[in-house]
Amino acid sequence: DEKILSLFYDKRIGQEVPADRLGDEWKGYILRLSGGNDLQGFCMMQGVLTNTRVRLLFADGMPNYKMRRAGVRKRKSVRGCIVDSQLSVLDLVIMKKGDAEIPGLTDNTQPRRLGPKRVGKIRKLFNLSKEDDVRQYVVHRPLPEKDGKKPRSKAPKIQRLVTPARIQRKRKVLALKRQRVEKNKAQAADYAKLLAQRQREKRQALLSRRRSSNRTSTSSA
């Protein structure tokens, strides 16, 4: 209905809109505009302050663009971040829940498909101490069962897990670093000693040449 949808018109991405006009079941809900697509499928882009379609030159690091080759820029069409009647899809996020439940949206909770992967987050989820073995608390995701085969599951590789092998590897890396520092210091001292010796030899050769020239000058006189 155009009259109901008009409450979103002239609103920008990121703005919050009360959803009371959508129906009695939406009373008390507050929605936030997060994006959308127009009738031809071009997506809205935050920061483009227009309600029409524009062609922008995209470079690496900009949204809605993935650089395929180094240094390549591309001109693409995007929709502005202001809502109008030319949109076919509007993305909304519930910021505040109202009194009634929305069937299929707020009446059920979707379980998390994947558990935490980092050591600190696993400890925080299960309230573990430093002495507890984190590997026993990894969330396993069951895989679809196949006929005549045992049920299988997958678990993530734990990140930032400190094991004896990791401690030994770190100790080895630090030892190698200390050896490199000592070796560089010894090589620098040897080079400085060699440089001083070369300069001393050069100075002695210069003095000997001067002495010999003085002798020849006095003998000729």
Side-chain angles (χ1 to χ4, degrees), residues 96-112:
K96 182 183 175 184
K97 188 178 177 183
D99 303 329
E101 298 283 350
I102 306 297
L105 184 63
T106 61
D107 55 350
N108 58 355
T109 57
Q110 295 290 336
R112 287 183 60 180

Side-chain angles (χ1 to χ4, degrees), residues 47-125:
V48 182
L49 300 178
T50 180
N51 58 358
T52 58
R53 196 186 306 162
V54 294
R55 283 177 61 82
L56 301 178
L57 186 63
F58 285 82
D60 187 30
M62 295 178 65
N64 304 326
Y65 175 65
K66 184 175 181 181
M67 189 174 65
R68 302 294 181 181
R69 292 172 56 193
V72 173
R73 297 185 298 170
K74 187 176 181 181
R75 194 171 293 279
K76 291 180 61 177
S77 294
V78 290
R79 195 84 191 178
C81 66
I82 300 175
V83 179
D84 67 347
S85 59
Q86 297 300 313
L87 296 179
S88 62
V89 177
L90 192 62
D91 301 331
L92 302 169
V93 178
I94 296 177
M95 302 302 294
K96 182 183 175 184
K97 188 178 177 183
D99 303 329
E101 298 283 350
I102 306 297
L105 184 63
T106 61
D107 55 350
N108 58 355
T109 57
Q110 295 290 336
R112 287 183 60 180
R113 178 174 168 270
L114 302 175
K117 188 174 183 180
R118 195 184 301 172
V119 168
K121 292 188 176 181
I122 296 174
R123 285 200 181 106
K124 184 178 179 181
L125 178 64

